[in-house]
Amino acid sequence: MNLRPTIDFLLNDWLNTEALTQRARFTDHSRDTFDAVLDTCERIAREKYAPFNRLVDTQEPHFDGEKVILPQATHDANRAYAESGMLSAAQDYDMGGMQLPYSVEAAANAFFACASVSIGSGMLTTGNANLLMVHGTPVQKDVFAKNEFAGRWSGTMCLSEPQAGSSLSDVATRAVPDGADFESDPLGARYRLKGNKMWISSGEHELTENIIHLVLAKIPDAEGKLVPGTRGISLFVVPKKMVNTQGELTGVRNDVALAGLNHKLGWRGTTNTLLNFGEGKFPVDGQAGAVGYLVGQPGKGLQCMFHMMNEARIGVGIAATMLGMAGYYASLDYARNRPQGRPMGAAGKDVAAPQVAIIEHSDVKRMLLAQKAYCEGALALELYCARLVDEHHTAGGAEADDARLLLEVLTPIAKSWPSEWCLEANSLAIQIHGGYGYTRDFPVEQYWRDNRLNMIHEGTHGIQATDLLGRKVLMEEGRGLKLLAERMTATIQRTAAHPTLAPHAAALGNALQQVSAATQKAWSTGNPTEALANAVPYMQAFGHTVLAWIWLDVAAKALEGDAAQAKSATQGRVGAARYFFHYELPKIGAWLAVVASRDQTCAQFPNDSF
């Protein structure tokens, strides 16, 4: 199975990405340049990533006492990715970029996630550098971001701590001014950081000559006390190796030390670390304390970091989607080639007849259709959100502002829906393989292990759900939810008279009404404890309604004009939409029932009764 036709249809037929070339930022581009980027990334993924997916799973990173050792294949893949220019693809030409639409960049990066998400493809480095481009000083952009975009240096995001996972208000890493002249350093106000950061992906390696950490820490008040909550959190850029204003290494190691490697269920090809900042292992100028440079304003670090986190959450959604897609393709190939069983006729089974491929069995088709609906639907959602990024940055006026707000509402879904349902797709891929799927001889078990992370990192499922129901659907007096409803209604009206799609349009209209009513009932008492007790079921129902809309819109485009000429592909898309409406969308009733009634079964269950 080839991913490219699906991406081509979504980008070119459904989203009409070529229309972006009419905007000033993208006038140098055309369908040909977009295709060339996709061609290059598809080739690199096929040659440098896919053949080594199992190798990086079995040859985990290890520390030899001085440095972290990774397979040569990881070094080769990292170099090929950097040389492709994809780290700076969306950046201005004067930053070494291509000024590529984010939607094309996201589609191109999907090839790497499908080939080997464990090797990685620079998501954190790009996000790190993008944050500095928005919130950094001109010198920070030129020294740190520019070298990250060039692939010389890589980047991380350091939020969590051993005692404070998702609870960032409990961050205890301290940052104190470094000398009387701390504010005059050309790289930014200079501080000394001391603390520990946990779960830091790519926190230590030899893939690049330097690693640039973006670290959340608190600046003590005049009495030396840390400000409670998130208000006191600031953001610092902390290089592994000290640099000068020309972007050159000074030969001095910063006081950032690897405390240990975490041994993970999946994503084993990427280092995941516990880092100690400022413990004195690598003193700078004879002093303990990691040197860090303030990014943005003191106390505003979390707002800066959310710029990177939102990009990372879309990236997580794409990774989850493509892991599901990889499992789908593997199980589809297996189902087409694995003979087992015989069809049931009016007189029962003819045991003398040859066995049929298991794809002939209806339950196997059900599992394949579920995977197709989950994964291709999720890919369409991610590319739609990527297009909203492009609209926000280049459309201008009210259209850009609408895209911003829609993206706010959809980001929790873009991160969490694929993380849950493309993981379920991986489980179904294992099931189709039968006993073989439970062995390491077939790739589907690794896809499941790799994908299990995505419901956890970059904001857990529960955090995303609370963000959705507790903030996103309410922000700006509910205008984002109204905008989304308007777009759904437009698709409903466009398909209501289509003989094939009319029943789906009616079902989506009903689902939209259910979600709107449940939202109002959840908040009818104004009590957040009651309203948010069932935030995850709300997010599941909301996400399924969004995906039903996506599938209806995709199916409508598939049935139009030139797109409809690809008969088997059109049947596949329309059939997947039908599956989603018949088998998946009806689930929202149970989810929304507990939301609308503000059911307290879980919230009020006594701790000692478990």
Side-chain angles (χ1 to χ4, degrees), residues 344-377:
M344 182 72 72
K349 293 183 180 179
D350 180 1
V351 296
Q355 294 191 92
V356 297
I358 62 173
I359 198 172
E360 298 295 334
H361 302 309
S362 60
D363 193 54
V364 173
K365 288 186 176 182
R366 175 189 63 82
M367 291 187 283
L368 288 170
L369 258 176
Q371 291 179 74
K372 182 180 179 69
Y374 295 154
C375 300
E376 291 186 12

Side-chain angles (χ1 to χ4, degrees), residues 23 43 62 69 75 100 107 127 155 177-178 194 206 225 314 338 438 448 463 472 495 520 530 545 549:
R23 294 181 182 168
R43 176 183 55 78
H62 66 277
I69 307 299
H75 288 264
L100 198 68
D178 184 26
K194 293 186 178 181
E206 301 294 322
K225 296 180 180 179
I314 294 175
R338 167 68 171 171
Y438 198 64
W448 186 93
I463 288 173
K472 295 299 180 63
T495 55
Q520 293 174 355
E530 291 183 358
T545 302
W549 165 56

Side-chain angles (χ1 to χ4, degrees), residues 208-390:
T208 54
E209 69 176 32
N210 205 359
I211 302 174
I212 309 304
H213 304 290
L214 285 177
V215 185
L216 291 182
K218 291 185 176 181
I219 302 172
D221 61 19
E223 298 178 356
K225 296 180 180 179
L226 299 183
V227 178
T230 61
R231 291 182 298 108
I233 295 177
S234 300
L235 180 64
F236 302 87
V237 56
V238 182
K240 172 184 171 181
K241 300 175 182 178
M242 301 298 290
V243 304
N244 60 28
T245 55
Q246 303 304 309
E248 300 164 335
L249 301 185
T250 65
V252 176
R253 173 75 184 263
N254 203 357
D255 197 7
V256 182
L258 176 69
L261 295 173
N262 295 309
H263 303 285
K264 301 170 293 178
L265 175 71
W267 283 59
R268 294 177 178 175
T270 302
T271 57
N272 189 272
T273 62
L274 170 60
L275 297 178
N276 290 342
F277 290 83
E279 67 175 358
K281 185 173 183 179
F282 302 104
V284 180
D285 295 332
Q287 298 180 47
V291 175
Y293 307 98
L294 182 67
V295 178
Q297 298 299 311
K300 302 293 184 181
L302 204 54
Q303 291 93 318
C304 295
M305 187 63 89
F306 270 119
H307 182 277
M308 182 177 181
M309 289 170 68
N310 285 334
E311 287 185 20
R313 285 168 177 170
I314 294 175
V316 167
I318 292 174
T321 297
M322 300 321 298
L323 282 164
M325 196 79 84
Y328 167 53
Y329 291 157
S331 63
L332 178 58
D333 181 69
Y334 184 84
R336 284 173 169 164
N337 291 284
R338 167 68 171 171
Q340 187 169 300
R342 294 163 180 84
M344 182 72 72
K349 293 183 180 179
D350 180 1
V351 296
Q355 294 191 92
V356 297
I358 62 173
I359 198 172
E360 298 295 334
H361 302 309
S362 60
D363 193 54
V364 173
K365 288 186 176 182
R366 175 189 63 82
M367 291 187 283
L368 288 170
L369 258 176
Q371 291 179 74
K372 182 180 179 69
Y374 295 154
C375 300
E376 291 186 12
L379 180 57
L381 170 66
E382 300 303 325
L383 294 181
Y384 182 83
C385 288
R387 177 59 177 267
L388 288 177
V389 173
D390 290 325

Side-chain angles (χ1 to χ4, degrees), residues 25-81:
R25 181 167 183 80
F26 307 125
T27 52
D28 290 342
H29 286 290
S30 65
R31 169 73 182 271
D32 289 340
T33 62
F34 295 161
D35 284 347
V37 170
L38 297 176
D39 290 343
T40 297
C41 292
E42 185 177 18
R43 176 183 55 78
I44 296 172
R46 183 175 60 249
E47 295 175 357
K48 299 293 185 179
Y49 285 70
F52 307 104
N53 191 45
R54 177 61 81 179
L55 181 144
V56 299
D57 184 63
T58 57
Q59 295 184 18
E60 295 184 60
H62 66 277
F63 184 56
D64 69 357
E66 294 184 4
K67 57 186 178 182
V68 171
I69 307 299
L70 291 164
Q72 183 60 41
T74 302
H75 288 264
D76 295 341
N78 185 76
R79 186 180 307 109
Y81 186 82

Side-chain angles (χ1 to χ4, degrees), residues 71 83 93 120 132 403 489 540 602:
E83 290 174 353
Y93 295 132
L132 291 172
T489 300
Q540 290 172 315
C602 299

